[in-house]
Every structure is written in structure tokens, then in C-alpha cells.
């Protein structure tokens, strides 16, 4: 039986990773690699943590599975832990099995609560690969199934200051990105719009940093029209310097969607934190139409409880905020002088290095380009240098585990710099060959 390789052509050689400790992984030949992106920005607490392993093993021995509609001590413990970290007013929790199914249920709840059907999202966004989550994404991964899209999705342009869609410069622009959003809502009819979904901080679409007042202005628009505001924190939660990245913008959304870092990737689990008013009183004596066989899985709950305690321990959760100035400076000092580096964007431990054609601001690989030869070349050079990469088009992601030491981070950034110097040279050589 051959495994289907996700998001990949099938005739490729895949890495064989056999072991992980902290921020390091080893392949079957014994070669070590620094985990530059915590795998898929999930293993925030690092690999091989025995405390998480023991909590999981203990729970499997006590009660490996029980009907999600029942109460059981580990579920109550995770709910209590989540109450410690949830923004004020988000008092209800639904625990699912992944980020995508949490998004599916968030969309469902917003539609049920408002009686409206449209969902506003961004073109440069990703919310998962199940039907409604994929449709709600702007990411081109949806395009192969565009003909079967869930209806009612409305997309808007991103507040992408490095490549402003309105050709503006931040500081002189009067937030055209927000007026655009409000115009689209007016055209669509606010009374038809159930929810606006934004990633708490942009992730695989390029870590596009929200301008400072973007989130508060979107909150004001949602309030004006009675729209449910959803922060998708599947990637940005637990790694941007606060529990949820949206909190760094001083905004409390109506729902938060989480996954990945919730269990540090050790057990598949997602979830929604929701305002009481989205559930009560309408479902007090009427069935809420949501549920999954593996919802609030006891083993996931065990991993979640210990993961949250580990983030709380020594204030690890705030380390990305505390280290952000140091990391930003280090990234800029080492990488910005390299001619193929266009922009460097970092929020906590979630960042990207955007590659360009040297001497221009043109992306080295265009968004959604079918020709990813440079993307593959950068990726393979990073592997060779001992870094586990995550590269899409011209984006090289930087999202290490929170437990990485300053020495490890400095070394990884230096390695990254050496690779990008080679890339710059190769691009310049190929330009000279063509001219
Ligand atoms: C912002 C965001 N939302 C949702 C998802 C989907 O999560 P999952 O892959 O667990 O279904 C992802 C996955 O990367 C994500 O980055």
C-alpha cells in the first residue's frame, strides 16, 4: 500500500524523518536538521517532550475514548485551562479534530446565529482543506475544486503593504484596505453577511502584517452590521507572543478557531472559543446541530492540558513577544543585505522572508505560478544545509519552536543567510546567461 502524499506530485522522493528532540529532527541516515517551521507551524513546544508523552499515555490507560456528549474529568480540565487563557466573553468551547473542521463548525454556528449565509474572507488566506474551509480560503489550493465551491463566500483584497493593491504607502493611505472591505460589504448587502473570517495573523499566504489599526476597524464594521467576527488562530495561536495573535491588536472577536499549537501537534485537535450568545439561549432546549465522533477526544484533551501548562510555565507563551525585537534585528542584519531578499516580516515566531529578483521588487516566483523551479531549488538547498524548510512560491517561512535557544536561532538564521547568498548568485548567473 502506497501513501498518498498531501499537496504534492506523487512521484517525488520524500524525506524520512525518524526522531525529534527539542528543535532538532533526524533522518534515517542520522543527519540532524533544525526544524525551521515547527513542521507545519504546529510543534511549538518542540519534539520528544516526555511530559506530553506521559500525559497522553496515562490518559490512554485510564480512558482512551468516550462519547463526546459525556462529561469526563480530562474534558473538564481542558475547559478549565482554556478558561484561563480565553479572551473575556468567549465562554463556550467546542473541541474538534483539526483546524479545518473547527472552521467548518465556526461557519455553521455564525450562519445559524445570524440567519445569514455569506462569509467574507481574504484572497490571500488559508482556512483548511475540507469543503467549506477550502472555499473560505483564498489560497489557490482551492482552485482545483472551484467548480464545487461552497456557495456564499465573498473575498476581499489583503492589507498587503509591501505590495499595496491600491499602490499606496502606509502612513499616507487612509486605510483603503478597510474602505474596500466596507464597500464590498455594502455591495453584497450587510444583512446577508453572517461572518468575517480573518487569520489572527496571516500565515501561509505570506505573513502579511496587518496595519496597526486594521483589526480594530474591522471589529467596528462587524459591530455596525451585526456580523460575527471570527479570528482563525489555527496557525497564529500559541506562537505570536500572546495566546491568540488577535489580542496583540487589542480586539476581542466573537469566535476564535484554534488547532496546531493547542496540543503542540502531538495529537490532532482543533477547537472554537465562542461568545455565549452564539449558543445560548437558542440552543438551551433545542439540539445544537454540530458534532463529531472524535470531538473533545480524551487523548487530545490530555495533550492540550499539559501543552497549555507548559506554555504558562516560565511565561513561554510570551517569549515570542519578548524576543521579537532581537529576532527582527538579527534577521534584518543577516538577510536584508542579500540581493534576493525583498521583505522580512515577523510577528512573534511566525514570519516570512520574501524573495525577489535582485534589484527589483518582482517576486522570484509569482503567487500561484505553475513554475516552481526556484521554490524547489531554495527548498532543496535548505534541506542540504540542515534546515527543515517550508517554502511556497517566493516565501521562505520562519516559524521555529518556542523552546529553541537563542544560539540555535542565531545559527539557523546564519545558515539561512548562507543558502540565500547561494540563491542570489544562482539567480544573477541565470539572468546573465539569458541576457
Ligand atoms: C490559518 C489556518 N486555518 C486553518 C488551517 C487548517 O488546519 P488543519 O490542517 O488542521 O485542518 C490551517 C492549516 O495550516 C491554517 O494555517
Amino acid at each position: 500500500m502506497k501513501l498518498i502524499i498531501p499537496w504534492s506530485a506523487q512521484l517525488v522522493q520524500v524525506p524520512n524523518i525518524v526522531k525529534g528532540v527539542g528543535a532538532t529532527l533526524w533522518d534515517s541516515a542520522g543527519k540532524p536538521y533544525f526544524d525551521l517551521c515547527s513542521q507545519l507551524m504546529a510543534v511549538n513546544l518542540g519534539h520528544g517532550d516526555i511530559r506530553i508523552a506521559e500525559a497522553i499515555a496515562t490518559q490512554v490507560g485510564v480512558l482512551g475514548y468516550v462519547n463526546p456528549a459525556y462529561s469526563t474529568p480530562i474534558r473538564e480540565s481542558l475547559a478549565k485551562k482554556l478558561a484561563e487563557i480565553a479572551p473575556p466573553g468567549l465562554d463556550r468551547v467546542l473541541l474538534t479534530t483539526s483546524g479545518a473542521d473547527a472552521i467548518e463548525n465556526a461557519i455553521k454556528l455564525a450562519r445559524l446565529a445570524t440567519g445569514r449565509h455569506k462569509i467574507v474572507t481574504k484572497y490571500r488566506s488559508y482556512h483548511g482543506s475540507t469543503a467549506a474551509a477550502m472555499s473560505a480560503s483564498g489560497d489557490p489550493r482551492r482552485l482545483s475544486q472551484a467548480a464545487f465551491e461552497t456557495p456564499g463566500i465573498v473575498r476581499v483584497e489583503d492589507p498587503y503593504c509591501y505590495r499595496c493593491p491600491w499602490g499606496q504607502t502606509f502612513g499616507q493611505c487612509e486605510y483603503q484596505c478597510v474602505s474596500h472591505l466596507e464597500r464590498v460589504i455594502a455591495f453584497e448587502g450587510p444583512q446577508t453577511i453572517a461572518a468575517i473570517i480573518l487569520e489572527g495573523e496571516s500565515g501561509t499566504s505570506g505573513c502579511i502584517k496587518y496595519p496597526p489599526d486594521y483589526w480594530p476597524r474591522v471589529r467596528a464594521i462587524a459591530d455596525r452590521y451585526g456580523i460575527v467576527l471570527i479570528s482563525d488562530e489555527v496557525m497564529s495561536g500559541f506562537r505570536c507572543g500572546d495566546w491568540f495573535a488577535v489580542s496583540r491588536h487589542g480586539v476581542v472577536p466573537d469566535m476564535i478557531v484554534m488547532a496546531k499549537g493547542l496540543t503542540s501537534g502531538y495529537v490532532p485537535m482543533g477547537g472554537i472559543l465562542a461568545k455565549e450568545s452564539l449558543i445560548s439561549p437558542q440552543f438551551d432546549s433545542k439540539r445544537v446541530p454540530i458534532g463529531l465522533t472524535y470531538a473533545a477526544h480524551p487523548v487530545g484533551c490530555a495533550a492540550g492540558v499539559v501543552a497549555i501548562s507548559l506554555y504558562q510555565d516560565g511565561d513561554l507563551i510570551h517569549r515570542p513577544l519578548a524576543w521579537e525585537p532581537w529576532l527582527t534585528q538579527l534577521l534584518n542584519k543577516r538577510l536584508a543585505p542579500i540581493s534576493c531578499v525583498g521583505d522580512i516580516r515577523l510577528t512573534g515566531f511566525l514570519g516570512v522572508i520574501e524573495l525577489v529578483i535582485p534589484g527589483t521588487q518582482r517576486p522570484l516566483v509569482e503567487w500561484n505560478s505553475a513554475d516552481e523551479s526556484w521554490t524547489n531549488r531554495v527548498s532543496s538547498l535548505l534541506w542540504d544545509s540542515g534546515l527543515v524548510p517550508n517554502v511556497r512560491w517566493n516565501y521562505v517561512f520562519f516559524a521555529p519552536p518556542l523552546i529553541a535557544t537563542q544560539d540555535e536561532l542565531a545559527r539557523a538564521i546564519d545558515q539561512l543567510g548562507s543558502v540565500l547568498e547561494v540563491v542570489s548568485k544562482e539567480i544573477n548567473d541565470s539572468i546573465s546567461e539569458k541576457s
Side-chain angles (χ1 to χ4, degrees):
M1 178 73 76
K2 279 174 77 179
L3 293 167
I4 298 172
I5 310 163
W7 306 122
S8 172
Q10 297 301 296
L11 293 181
V12 292
Q13 188 72 26
V14 294
N16 184 8
I17 299 296
V18 294
K19 187 178 133 182
V21 177
T24 306
L25 291 164
W26 283 265
D27 68 13
S28 51
K31 180 174 170 180
Y33 300 85
F34 180 78
D35 194 0
L36 200 56
C37 290
S38 314
Q39 292 308 285
L40 295 176
M41 290 77 162
V43 190
N44 299 4
L45 294 164
H47 301 275
D49 193 306
I50 195 69
R51 296 161 296 185
I52 307 178
E54 280 173 357
I56 290 169
T58 303
Q59 184 58 41
V60 172
V62 173
L63 184 64
Y65 178 80
V66 67
N67 185 328
Y70 301 168
S71 170
T72 196
I74 198 67
R75 277 187 189 137
E76 304 310 324
S77 300
L78 183 55
K80 222 162 117 198
K81 270 281 169 224
L82 288 167
E84 288 171 23
I85 67 168
L90 301 192
D91 295 332
R92 299 299 288 258
V93 60
L94 172 75
L95 292 161
T96 68
T97 60
S98 72
D101 66 6
I103 288 281
E104 296 280 332
N105 282 294
I107 290 174
K108 208 192 267 187
L109 276 180
R111 285 176 166 163
L112 287 166
T114 57
R116 305 171 180 177
H117 65 288
K118 288 184 192 163
I119 306 291
V120 176
T121 67
K122 292 196 286 97
Y123 276 105
R124 293 175 195 261
S125 67
Y126 181 68
H127 299 292
S129 80
T130 54
M134 189 85 256
S135 307
S137 308
D139 189 292
R141 279 176 273 186
R142 76 189 155 87
L143 296 177
S144 63
Q145 298 135 68
F148 325 112
E149 237 171 53
T150 301
I153 306 297
V154 177
R155 296 183 190 88
V156 294
E157 286 265 21
D158 293 71
Y160 191 1
C161 296
Y162 182 61
R163 302 182 187 285
C164 176
W166 299 274
Q168 299 292 315
T169 304
F170 183 69
Q172 294 150 14
C173 67
E174 296 179 10
Y175 283 85
Q176 260 104 325
C177 45
V178 178
S179 345
H180 158 70
L181 169 67
E182 192 153 20
R183 257 192 330 272
V184 169
I185 289 174
F187 282 132
E188 292 291 334
Q191 74 285 358
T192 68
I193 296 175
I196 300 172
I197 308 181
L198 301 179
E199 288 170 65
E201 205 57 61
S202 148
T204 50
S205 300
C207 301
I208 295 163
K209 269 173 127 29
Y210 295 109
D213 205 30
Y214 186 83
W215 257 112
R217 289 178 190 227
V218 176
R219 174 75 272 182
I221 292 172
D223 287 344
R224 195 169 317 135
Y225 299 118
I227 297 169
V228 175
L229 184 58
I230 302 175
S231 181
D232 178 348
E233 300 277 355
V234 170
M235 187 167 283
S236 57
F238 307 98
R239 67 161 42 255
C240 283
D242 207 331
W243 293 101
F244 304 107
V246 65
S247 303
R248 287 190 56 177
H249 297 273
V251 163
V252 178
D254 303 305
M255 266 193 256
I256 279 179
V257 178
M258 58 193 170
K260 297 185 188 267
L262 173 61
T263 62
S264 189
Y266 279 64
V267 178
M269 177 167 260
I272 300 170
L273 303 174
K275 275 198 173 147
E276 180 73 13
S277 59
L278 292 164
I279 303 292
S280 180
Q282 59 275 35
F283 297 114
D284 285 351
S285 18
K286 193 170 90 183
R287 276 172 197 263
V288 67
I290 49 180
L292 301 157
T293 297
Y294 296 116
H297 197 285
V299 180
C301 291
V305 168
V306 71
I308 293 174
S309 302
L310 293 174
Y311 289 122
Q312 287 170 325
D313 195 15
D315 208 21
L316 184 62
I317 196 70
H318 291 114
R319 176 177 289 179
L321 180 64
W323 289 12
E324 190 178 292
W326 171 76
L327 262 181
T328 305
Q329 199 192 24
L330 200 64
L331 284 164
N332 276 297
K333 187 161 171 237
R334 180 66 181 93
L335 307 182
I338 301 172
S339 62
C340 71
V341 171
D343 199 20
I344 299 168
R345 300 185 284 272
L346 182 77
T347 306
F349 273 29
L350 182 58
V352 77
I353 294 102
E354 187 167 334
L355 304 185
V356 293
I357 309 284
T360 76
Q361 208 182 313
R362 270 181 34 229
L364 178 60
V365 183
E366 294 285 346
W367 170 267
N368 199 20
S369 167
D371 178 2
E372 293 193 84
S373 39
W374 277 115
T375 309
N376 296 335
R377 177 69 184 146
V378 174
S379 197
S380 119
L381 286 169
L382 289 167
W383 275 109
D384 290 348
S385 82
L387 298 171
V388 179
N390 192 327
V391 188
R392 301 185 77 207
W393 307 304
N394 68 325
Y395 297 142
V396 179
F397 291 95
F398 177 84
L402 276 54
I403 48 79
T405 64
Q406 293 202 334
D407 273 358
E408 284 177 314
L409 292 167
R411 220 173 313 128
I413 290 169
D414 192 46
Q415 276 169 264
L416 186 52
S418 302
V419 167
L420 296 182
E421 279 161 358
V422 173
V423 173
S424 280
K425 182 169 178 323
E426 291 187 1
I427 303 169
N428 284 324
D429 288 350
S430 97
I431 293 171
S432 318
E433 267 168 36
K434 281 184 196 144
S435 61

